């Protein structure tokens, strides 16, 4: 398990993208192989059919006879990789050696900065790095939910936000609930949106200052009628604890 950075092509794609990947090691061929799931609409010449990534050892082990030649249909990324012989019987050790260390606070900060700039793709890449190392990071899960919401992928947004509620503390649950209200409203479901907003306020959510993304959603929620306005008035009446910006709302603080 780890991450891979590839060059990309596509109108709405960054020049490079970093993605989590699970690679399987073939002991006989000394090859790592796995599929990389790119963002919708993106492609990469470094990957084969359906995102297949193949990493071969830079120097093959001596074998009797000529080395096997890849079949023409087998499109591979010829990336030099030094692969140590695996120890007996421990796939977990091999995976641990391949996993890249991620600076979680730095990645979260970059992800939230990207959200604040409404850069959904850049935010997604940072939060995926965190989740590849810690799948239960509530801040990254909420960030993924908000990024999916910005890309109009409402189903994915709700799934990530529900996961954040399941693993996060009270503050994280409140933050996820607020964004669930925004997603539900975008789906034209005012009653579920109102329920989610009421839950967020009950759990202590309050809007951050100088956050254009949150302000945009507050304006949309306010326009849904007096019940929404009353809940938002209660939330605005609170003061955020010093240094405790919310997780996943486009704040630059993780």
């Amino acid at each position: 398990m780890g991450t891979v950075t590839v060059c990309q092509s596509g109108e709405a794609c960054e020049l490079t993208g970093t993605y989590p990947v699970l690679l399987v090691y073939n002991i006989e061929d000394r090859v790592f192989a796995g599929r990389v799931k790119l963002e919708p609409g993106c492609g990469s010449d470094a990957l084969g059919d359906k995102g297949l990534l193949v990493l071969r050892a830079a120097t093959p082990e001596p074998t009797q006879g000529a080395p096997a030649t890849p079949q023409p249909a087998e499109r591979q990324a010829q990336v030099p990789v030094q692969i140590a012989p695996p120890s007996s019987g421990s796939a977990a050790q091999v995976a641990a050696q391949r996993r890249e260390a991620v600076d979680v606070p730095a990645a979260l900060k970059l992800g939230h900065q990207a959200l604040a700039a409404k850069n959904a793709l850049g935010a997604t890449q940072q939060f995926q790095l965190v989740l590849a190392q810690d799948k239960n990071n509530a801040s990254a899960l909420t960030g993924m939910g908000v990024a999916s919401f910005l890309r109009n992928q409402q189903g994915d947004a709700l799934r990530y936000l529900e996961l954040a509620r399941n693993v996060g503390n009270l503050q994280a649950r409140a933050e996820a609930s607020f964004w669930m209200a925004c997603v539900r409203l975008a789906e034209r479901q005012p009653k579920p949106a109102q329920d989610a907003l009421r839950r967020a306020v009950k759990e202590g959510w309050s809007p951050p200052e100088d956050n254009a993304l949150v302000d945009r959603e507050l304006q949309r929620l306010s326009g849904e009628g007096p019940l929404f306005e009353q809940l938002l008035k209660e939330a605005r009446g609170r003061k955020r604890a010093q240094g405790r910006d919310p997780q996943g709302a486009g704040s630059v603080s993780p």
Side-chain angles (χ1 to χ4, degrees):
M1 294 177 61
T3 59
V4 60
T5 299
V6 296
C7 295
Q8 297 184 134
S9 59
E11 293 184 0
C13 302
E14 301 287 342
L15 293 179
T16 62
T18 300
Y19 300 93
V21 63
L22 173 63
L23 298 175
V24 178
Y25 182 61
N26 184 308
I27 298 176
E28 294 182 357
D29 296 336
R30 301 179 71 226
V31 168
F32 280 101
R35 298 195 182 278
V36 181
K37 185 178 180 182
L38 301 178
E39 289 292 321
C42 297
S44 176
D45 292 337
L47 304 178
D49 185 40
K50 297 182 180 179
L52 179 63
L53 174 66
V54 178
L55 304 176
R56 292 185 175 277
T59 306
E61 289 180 337
T63 57
Q64 295 181 354
T69 302
Q71 296 298 319
E74 196 177 321
R75 189 181 181 189
Q76 302 167 347
Q78 299 295 337
V79 182
V81 178
Q82 298 296 333
I83 303 175
S87 57
S88 57
S90 178
Q93 289 180 354
V94 175
Q97 292 171 358
R98 296 296 301 169
R99 187 181 297 119
E100 295 182 17
V102 176
D103 186 340
V104 171
L108 288 175
K109 183 175 181 179
L110 289 173
H112 292 311
Q113 286 176 334
L115 280 184
K118 301 177 185 178
N119 178 0
L121 180 59
T124 297
Q125 292 171 353
Q126 295 301 321
F127 294 134
Q128 283 177 335
L129 289 175
V130 176
L131 293 174
Q133 182 164 303
D134 178 10
K135 65 179 182 180
N136 291 328
N137 188 292
S139 181
L141 288 169
T142 302
M144 286 291 292
V146 179
S148 298
F149 171 52
L150 290 177
R151 296 200 302 268
N152 295 318
Q153 298 172 351
Q154 318 301 16
D156 288 343
L158 291 173
R159 179 170 58 87
Y160 281 117
L161 293 170
E162 189 60 44
L163 287 172
R165 280 193 55 81
N166 290 339
V167 302
N169 58 20
L170 184 62
Q171 184 188 16
R173 294 198 298 272
E175 196 70 35
S177 291
F178 168 76
W179 287 105
M180 290 177 83
C182 300
V183 175
R184 291 298 189 186
L185 188 62
E187 291 185 317
R188 307 309 304 166
Q189 298 180 17
K191 183 59 169 65
Q194 186 183 120
D195 292 342
L197 182 59
R198 181 180 294 108
R199 185 169 61 237
V201 174
K202 182 179 179 181
E203 292 170 337
W205 183 85
S206 60
E209 296 180 359
D210 301 322
N211 189 309
L213 183 58
V214 175
D215 290 343
R216 184 192 74 177
E217 296 307 313
L218 290 175
Q219 186 173 2
R220 291 179 178 178
L221 290 165
S222 297
E224 290 300 308
L227 292 177
F228 282 88
E229 184 57 42
Q230 179 59 37
L231 289 170
L232 293 177
K233 182 179 179 181
E234 182 179 345
R236 290 187 180 104
R238 298 193 181 105
K239 263 196 172 182
R240 273 190 195 276
Q242 184 69 24
R244 296 288 293 178
D245 283 337
Q247 299 178 13
S251 166
V252 296
S253 299

